[in-house]
Amino acid sequence: MIRGVRGATTIEIDQPEAVMEATQTLAREMAKQNNIEPEEVASVLISTTPDIVSAFPAKAVRTITGWEYVPVMCTHEMNVQPSLPRCIRIMMHVNSTVAQNKIQHVYLNEAISLRPDLVKK
């Protein structure tokens, strides 16, 4: 069965290093909290708010050891105002037998405000 694992984070400034570091940190934390191995990942969709244009976050995921062959794609979020600035969101589609209500969604930095109900205390 395929499960969706969501996550989001923010960056302080739109610079390639910030995009790469934040995306890798988020993807690793999502995998860690859900015991995900790259071979279990069907695909990863990453979106950014329109104010992030300095780097492709998909490249950050593909450079994680073992994730080189995971299909990853980037897109921009809808520009609905007011929205959280400089936000990177990840949706992993994962082969898993874990119940949907047991999936650990991960929100970091200012993105915690998006889903405080899902943030571990």
Side-chain angles (χ1 to χ4, degrees):
M1 173 176 314
I2 299 280
R3 293 284 187 216
V5 181
R6 296 185 312 248
T9 190
T10 56
I11 55 176
E12 294 284 326
I13 187 165
D14 180 28
Q15 293 182 341
E17 300 81 21
V19 172
M20 298 295 279
E21 181 180 334
T23 305
Q24 284 185 346
T25 298
L26 178 58
R28 285 185 174 121
E29 189 61 25
M30 291 169 69
K32 177 182 174 185
Q33 286 191 29
N34 290 283
N35 299 310
I36 297 169
E37 294 296 327
E39 286 297 318
E40 299 167 333
V41 180
S43 64
V44 177
L45 179 62
I46 303 172
S47 68
T48 66
T49 47
D51 52 6
I52 297 178
V53 296
S54 67
F56 292 106
K59 182 177 181 182
V61 173
R62 285 193 303 271
T63 59
I64 298 172
T65 302
W67 290 70
E68 298 89 346
Y69 301 108
V70 173
V72 184
M73 190 171 103
C74 297
T75 189
H76 275 302
E77 281 287 319
M78 294 173 54
N79 193 16
V80 176
Q81 295 302 318
S83 66
L84 185 62
R86 295 176 306 282
C87 186
I88 301 166
R89 291 174 173 88
I90 295 179
M91 173 68 78
M92 284 186 193
H93 303 102
V94 180
N95 290 301
S96 176
T97 58
V98 175
Q100 195 147 18
N101 65 347
K102 300 296 184 196
I103 297 292
Q104 299 298 310
H105 304 289
V106 178
Y107 292 84
L108 305 174
N109 302 317
E110 298 301 316
I112 290 170
S113 68
L114 296 172
R115 290 299 304 264
D117 58 313
L118 296 178
V119 175
K120 283 185 172 180
K121 306 249 189 295

